[in-house]
Amino acid sequence: MSVLFAIPLLAVNVPPMVDFPGHEAVIGLLLHAGDTTLVPQGLYTPNWGHPNQLQYMLGWLFGLLGGPTFGMKVVTVLGVSSILFGTGRLLSHLGKTPWA
């Protein structure tokens, strides 16, 4: 049910996120890793020791299906819906209605 609230993010070209283009660019670099026509060899090296690594891994996987913008949009929808789902579960655990 929480996915329904996040689906409008797919309807726009760029969701209202300040950092969306930066994350999209990282996913684009991952999709074109090793392509020397896009980026000179040795300019970028993957760094998997940061907080956003799951976002980039999932974005890369979904990006294989539809490009970096699609991959980042799907990851954003999953993130927003998981926050809403988790909040509902926490409220249920506390004995409150999950629709608060």
Side-chain angles (χ1 to χ4, degrees):
M1 185 64 156
S2 61
V3 174
L4 294 176
F5 292 104
I7 285 181
L9 295 172
L10 295 174
V12 295
N13 288 339
V14 177
M17 298 170 47
V18 175
D19 55 351
F20 186 87
H23 294 301
E24 181 184 17
V26 172
I27 293 171
L29 287 171
L30 289 173
L31 289 171
H32 297 286
D35 184 2
T36 56
T37 60
L38 182 68
V39 180
Q41 187 172 356
L43 184 61
Y44 292 106
T45 45
N47 177 10
W48 296 110
H50 55 83
N52 289 335
Q53 62 190 11
L54 179 61
Q55 173 186 0
Y56 294 141
M57 283 186 224
L58 291 174
W60 173 74
L61 286 173
F62 289 116
L64 290 172
L65 299 174
T69 303
F70 175 75
M72 189 59 203
K73 281 184 179 184
V74 171
V75 170
T76 303
V77 167
L78 290 174
V80 170
S81 61
S82 68
I83 290 170
L84 295 173
F85 176 76
T87 302
R89 294 284 303 204
L90 175 64
L91 289 171
S92 293
H93 176 73
L94 296 174
K96 309 288 184 194
T97 176
W99 293 100

